[in-house]
Amino acid sequence: MKIVFTGGGTAGHVMPNIALINSLPDTAQAYYFGCDGMEKTLITRNTDAVFVPIKAAKFKRSLSPSNLLLPFRLADSVVKTKKLLSDVSPDVVFAKGGYVSLPVVLAARKLSIPVVLHESDTTIGLANKLCARHAYALLSSFDLASPPDSVTVGCPVRREIYSANPEKGLSFMRFDGKKPVLLFLGGSQGALTLNNLATSVDTRLHRKFDIFVICGKNKKITETPTLHAAEFCDNIFDVVSACSFCITRGGANTLCELCVLNRPFAVIPLTSSSRGEQTSNAGYFADRGCGALLNPDISPDSLADAVTSLYPKTPLFKHAQKRLKIDGTDATLDYIFRAASSRSDSARRR
């Protein structure tokens, strides 16, 4: 069985694909259609999938003259991607969304290759919205308000999350574990706002917490005895499992993984995200008692007060997280295999 995976624009589109690729049986051959750069780095570093570079035109939500050329660039990308798909001849295409997935799905449609989509956020993204009518199935991590025929399966999560080692995490962070660790997690690229908040609250919380910040590539933080930082870490699950509370952005995959690891969190959502999905994602978990949603413009003093008041509630947050069945890896793979079989059955009938 040959499976083409695609999706990109942010790491949030790629990491669930990595979870699925690394959970495939040995009889399946995985390919990844993506743009050079972030997608290629993540896929080639973390999987054995064959990476196939493509060109994809990105829609800009601002009034940009480049959007006028988008239909022509997309048409050209679909033609070239169709040739690449024909060469691979996959049984199914799995698309995780983002502008990178659009030409792949449209090309697959022209070749009568079944497509399975997955939406991580609580609201459907533009690429998945455009692709939904071409899909064998639209899957989602959460109940979507629209379209009505989407199937809630949960979020694909990486298998290594279940072998997270807190001792290795403490060692990486260079803490002794005598105090609870407050983690600031700004996403794959870090978040300057969270970095600045971390250094400010350290002066108020250092007696209660050690603080660790994953600050992002080329972002520097002045460390103190109680505040340590790293630009990134490969053993993210070890680090998270060693922490007692997390201050994070509102990416859906991150919040799902925090729940699987049973780590309480407070979300400071990125409000400049494309359609306000981070606030919506955070609200979903906050409504279920799994974490808290904070003001996007929260001040350092207010954040210190919030952490102080929220931390005693960690047992309640953990209890609520355990009630969620958020790991959708197996259910997503089942739909992928079903779609692949549907094409095989169709080919036999012809």
Side-chain angles (χ1 to χ4, degrees), residues 120-153:
S120 288
D121 293 311
T122 51
T123 59
I124 187 168
L126 178 60
N128 276 343
K129 188 178 294 185
L130 293 173
C131 294
R133 65 190 181 94
H134 301 305
Y136 173 87
L138 170 61
L139 312 179
S140 61
S141 295
F142 314 104
D143 297 329
L144 295 175
S146 64
D149 54 348
S150 62
V151 182
T152 306
V153 296

Short mmCIF file of all heavy atoms in Angstrom, two decimals, residues 120-153:
data_model
loop_
_atom_site.label_atom_id
_atom_site.label_comp_id
_atom_site.label_asym_id
_atom_site.label_seq_id
_atom_site.Cartn_x
_atom_site.Cartn_y
_atom_site.Cartn_z
N SER A 120 -7.36 19.72 12.75
CA SER A 120 -6.98 19.69 14.16
C SER A 120 -7.74 20.69 15.01
O SER A 120 -7.99 20.46 16.19
CB SER A 120 -5.47 19.97 14.31
OG SER A 120 -4.71 18.87 13.88
N ASP A 121 -8.08 21.85 14.43
CA ASP A 121 -8.66 22.93 15.21
C ASP A 121 -10.15 22.76 15.41
O ASP A 121 -10.81 21.93 14.77
CB ASP A 121 -8.38 24.27 14.52
CG ASP A 121 -6.90 24.64 14.53
OD1 ASP A 121 -6.29 24.56 15.60
OD2 ASP A 121 -6.37 24.99 13.45
N THR A 122 -10.70 23.58 16.29
CA THR A 122 -12.13 23.55 16.56
C THR A 122 -12.95 24.22 15.47
O THR A 122 -14.17 24.10 15.44
CB THR A 122 -12.43 24.23 17.91
OG1 THR A 122 -11.81 25.52 17.92
CG2 THR A 122 -11.90 23.40 19.07
N THR A 123 -12.27 24.95 14.57
CA THR A 123 -12.93 25.51 13.39
C THR A 123 -12.14 25.05 12.17
O THR A 123 -10.92 24.87 12.23
CB THR A 123 -12.96 27.05 13.43
OG1 THR A 123 -11.61 27.55 13.52
CG2 THR A 123 -13.75 27.54 14.63
N ILE A 124 -12.82 24.87 11.06
CA ILE A 124 -12.17 24.31 9.88
C ILE A 124 -11.35 25.37 9.15
O ILE A 124 -11.80 26.51 8.96
CB ILE A 124 -13.21 23.66 8.94
CG1 ILE A 124 -12.51 22.91 7.79
CG2 ILE A 124 -14.20 24.69 8.41
CD1 ILE A 124 -13.44 22.02 7.00
N GLY A 125 -10.13 25.00 8.75
CA GLY A 125 -9.24 25.90 8.04
C GLY A 125 -9.65 26.07 6.58
O GLY A 125 -10.42 25.27 6.02
N LEU A 126 -9.10 27.09 5.95
CA LEU A 126 -9.48 27.43 4.59
C LEU A 126 -9.18 26.30 3.61
O LEU A 126 -10.03 25.95 2.78
CB LEU A 126 -8.77 28.71 4.15
CG LEU A 126 -9.04 29.19 2.72
CD1 LEU A 126 -10.52 29.45 2.51
CD2 LEU A 126 -8.21 30.44 2.40
N ALA A 127 -7.98 25.72 3.68
CA ALA A 127 -7.63 24.66 2.73
C ALA A 127 -8.54 23.46 2.88
O ALA A 127 -9.04 22.91 1.88
CB ALA A 127 -6.17 24.25 2.92
N ASN A 128 -8.79 23.03 4.11
CA ASN A 128 -9.70 21.90 4.31
C ASN A 128 -11.12 22.23 3.88
O ASN A 128 -11.84 21.37 3.37
CB ASN A 128 -9.68 21.47 5.77
CG ASN A 128 -8.53 20.53 6.09
OD1 ASN A 128 -7.91 19.95 5.20
ND2 ASN A 128 -8.23 20.37 7.36
N LYS A 129 -11.52 23.46 4.08
CA LYS A 129 -12.87 23.87 3.66
C LYS A 129 -13.00 23.76 2.14
O LYS A 129 -14.03 23.29 1.62
CB LYS A 129 -13.13 25.31 4.11
CG LYS A 129 -14.56 25.79 3.91
CD LYS A 129 -14.74 27.21 4.43
CE LYS A 129 -14.56 27.27 5.94
NZ LYS A 129 -14.86 28.64 6.45
N LEU A 130 -11.96 24.19 1.42
CA LEU A 130 -11.99 24.11 -0.04
C LEU A 130 -11.91 22.67 -0.54
O LEU A 130 -12.45 22.34 -1.60
CB LEU A 130 -10.82 24.92 -0.63
CG LEU A 130 -10.88 26.44 -0.42
CD1 LEU A 130 -9.58 27.09 -0.88
CD2 LEU A 130 -12.07 27.04 -1.16
N CYS A 131 -11.25 21.81 0.23
CA CYS A 131 -11.01 20.43 -0.21
C CYS A 131 -12.11 19.47 0.24
O CYS A 131 -12.17 18.34 -0.27
CB CYS A 131 -9.68 19.93 0.34
SG CYS A 131 -8.22 20.79 -0.31
N ALA A 132 -12.95 19.87 1.18
CA ALA A 132 -13.87 18.93 1.82
C ALA A 132 -14.77 18.21 0.82
O ALA A 132 -15.03 17.01 0.95
CB ALA A 132 -14.71 19.66 2.87
N ARG A 133 -15.25 18.92 -0.18
CA ARG A 133 -16.19 18.28 -1.12
C ARG A 133 -15.50 17.26 -2.02
O ARG A 133 -16.18 16.49 -2.71
CB ARG A 133 -16.91 19.33 -1.95
CG ARG A 133 -16.03 20.15 -2.88
CD ARG A 133 -16.82 21.32 -3.46
NE ARG A 133 -16.04 22.13 -4.37
CZ ARG A 133 -16.02 21.95 -5.70
NH1 ARG A 133 -16.73 20.98 -6.24
NH2 ARG A 133 -15.29 22.74 -6.47
N HIS A 134 -14.16 17.26 -2.05
CA HIS A 134 -13.44 16.28 -2.86
C HIS A 134 -13.01 15.06 -2.04
O HIS A 134 -12.36 14.16 -2.57
CB HIS A 134 -12.18 16.93 -3.45
CG HIS A 134 -12.45 18.12 -4.33
ND1 HIS A 134 -13.29 18.08 -5.41
CD2 HIS A 134 -11.98 19.39 -4.26
CE1 HIS A 134 -13.34 19.27 -5.98
NE2 HIS A 134 -12.56 20.09 -5.30
N ALA A 135 -13.35 15.03 -0.75
CA ALA A 135 -12.75 14.06 0.15
C ALA A 135 -13.60 12.80 0.34
O ALA A 135 -14.84 12.86 0.34
CB ALA A 135 -12.49 14.70 1.50
N TYR A 136 -12.93 11.69 0.54
CA TYR A 136 -13.58 10.46 0.97
C TYR A 136 -14.15 10.65 2.37
O TYR A 136 -15.24 10.18 2.68
CB TYR A 136 -12.55 9.32 0.95
CG TYR A 136 -13.03 8.02 1.53
CD1 TYR A 136 -13.70 7.09 0.75
CD2 TYR A 136 -12.79 7.71 2.87
CE1 TYR A 136 -14.14 5.88 1.30
CE2 TYR A 136 -13.22 6.51 3.42
CZ TYR A 136 -13.90 5.60 2.63
OH TYR A 136 -14.32 4.41 3.18
N ALA A 137 -13.38 11.35 3.22
CA ALA A 137 -13.84 11.64 4.58
C ALA A 137 -13.13 12.88 5.10
O ALA A 137 -11.96 13.10 4.78
CB ALA A 137 -13.57 10.45 5.51
N LEU A 138 -13.85 13.67 5.88
CA LEU A 138 -13.27 14.79 6.62
C LEU A 138 -13.29 14.42 8.09
O LEU A 138 -14.36 14.31 8.69
CB LEU A 138 -14.05 16.09 6.38
CG LEU A 138 -13.68 17.27 7.29
CD1 LEU A 138 -12.21 17.66 7.11
CD2 LEU A 138 -14.59 18.46 7.03
N LEU A 139 -12.11 14.21 8.66
CA LEU A 139 -11.97 13.85 10.06
C LEU A 139 -11.60 15.08 10.87
O LEU A 139 -11.09 16.06 10.33
CB LEU A 139 -10.89 12.78 10.23
CG LEU A 139 -10.95 11.58 9.27
CD1 LEU A 139 -9.79 10.62 9.55
CD2 LEU A 139 -12.29 10.86 9.37
N SER A 140 -11.84 15.04 12.17
CA SER A 140 -11.50 16.19 13.00
C SER A 140 -11.14 15.73 14.41
O SER A 140 -11.55 14.66 14.86
CB SER A 140 -12.68 17.17 13.06
OG SER A 140 -13.82 16.55 13.63
N SER A 141 -10.36 16.57 15.08
CA SER A 141 -10.02 16.30 16.48
C SER A 141 -11.20 16.57 17.39
O SER A 141 -11.34 15.95 18.44
CB SER A 141 -8.83 17.17 16.91
OG SER A 141 -7.66 16.82 16.21
N PHE A 142 -12.03 17.55 17.01
CA PHE A 142 -13.14 17.98 17.84
C PHE A 142 -14.42 18.01 17.00
O PHE A 142 -14.37 17.93 15.78
CB PHE A 142 -12.88 19.38 18.41
CG PHE A 142 -11.51 19.58 18.97
CD1 PHE A 142 -10.55 20.30 18.27
CD2 PHE A 142 -11.16 19.03 20.18
CE1 PHE A 142 -9.28 20.48 18.78
CE2 PHE A 142 -9.89 19.19 20.71
CZ PHE A 142 -8.94 19.92 20.00
N ASP A 143 -15.56 18.15 17.68
CA ASP A 143 -16.81 18.33 16.95
C ASP A 143 -16.78 19.66 16.22
O ASP A 143 -16.64 20.71 16.85
CB ASP A 143 -18.00 18.31 17.92
CG ASP A 143 -18.13 16.97 18.63
OD1 ASP A 143 -17.77 15.95 18.03
OD2 ASP A 143 -18.59 16.95 19.79
N LEU A 144 -16.93 19.62 14.90
CA LEU A 144 -16.94 20.84 14.11
C LEU A 144 -18.37 21.32 13.91
O LEU A 144 -19.29 20.52 13.69
CB LEU A 144 -16.29 20.60 12.74
CG LEU A 144 -14.80 20.25 12.72
CD1 LEU A 144 -14.36 19.92 11.29
CD2 LEU A 144 -13.97 21.41 13.25
N ALA A 145 -18.55 22.63 13.98
CA ALA A 145 -19.88 23.19 13.73
C ALA A 145 -20.30 22.97 12.27
O ALA A 145 -21.47 22.80 11.97
CB ALA A 145 -19.88 24.67 14.07
N SER A 146 -19.33 22.98 11.37
CA SER A 146 -19.57 22.74 9.95
C SER A 146 -18.28 22.23 9.34
O SER A 146 -17.19 22.52 9.83
CB SER A 146 -20.03 24.03 9.25
OG SER A 146 -18.98 25.00 9.29
N PRO A 147 -18.35 21.44 8.26
CA PRO A 147 -19.57 20.88 7.69
C PRO A 147 -20.16 19.78 8.56
O PRO A 147 -19.45 19.18 9.36
CB PRO A 147 -19.08 20.34 6.34
CG PRO A 147 -17.65 20.01 6.57
CD PRO A 147 -17.14 21.04 7.53
N PRO A 148 -21.45 19.48 8.39
CA PRO A 148 -22.12 18.56 9.29
C PRO A 148 -21.69 17.11 9.14
O PRO A 148 -21.94 16.29 10.03
CB PRO A 148 -23.60 18.73 8.93
CG PRO A 148 -23.60 19.24 7.52
CD PRO A 148 -22.38 20.09 7.41
N ASP A 149 -21.08 16.76 8.02
CA ASP A 149 -20.73 15.37 7.78
C ASP A 149 -19.29 15.03 8.17
O ASP A 149 -18.76 13.99 7.79
CB ASP A 149 -20.95 15.01 6.30
CG ASP A 149 -20.21 15.93 5.34
OD1 ASP A 149 -19.72 16.98 5.80
OD2 ASP A 149 -20.15 15.60 4.14
N SER A 150 -18.63 15.88 8.95
CA SER A 150 -17.29 15.56 9.44
C SER A 150 -17.39 14.50 10.53
O SER A 150 -18.42 14.35 11.18
CB SER A 150 -16.60 16.81 9.97
OG SER A 150 -17.32 17.35 11.07
N VAL A 151 -16.30 13.75 10.72
CA VAL A 151 -16.27 12.65 11.68
C VAL A 151 -15.25 12.98 12.76
O VAL A 151 -14.06 13.20 12.46
CB VAL A 151 -15.90 11.32 11.00
CG1 VAL A 151 -15.93 10.18 12.02
CG2 VAL A 151 -16.84 11.02 9.84
N THR A 152 -15.65 13.02 14.01
CA THR A 152 -14.74 13.31 15.12
C THR A 152 -13.99 12.05 15.51
O THR A 152 -14.61 11.06 15.93
CB THR A 152 -15.52 13.86 16.33
OG1 THR A 152 -16.30 14.99 15.92
CG2 THR A 152 -14.56 14.27 17.44
N VAL A 153 -12.68 12.07 15.37
CA VAL A 153 -11.86 10.89 15.68
C VAL A 153 -10.80 11.18 16.74
O VAL A 153 -10.17 10.26 17.26
CB VAL A 153 -11.16 10.34 14.42
CG1 VAL A 153 -12.19 9.83 13.42
CG2 VAL A 153 -10.25 11.39 13.78
#
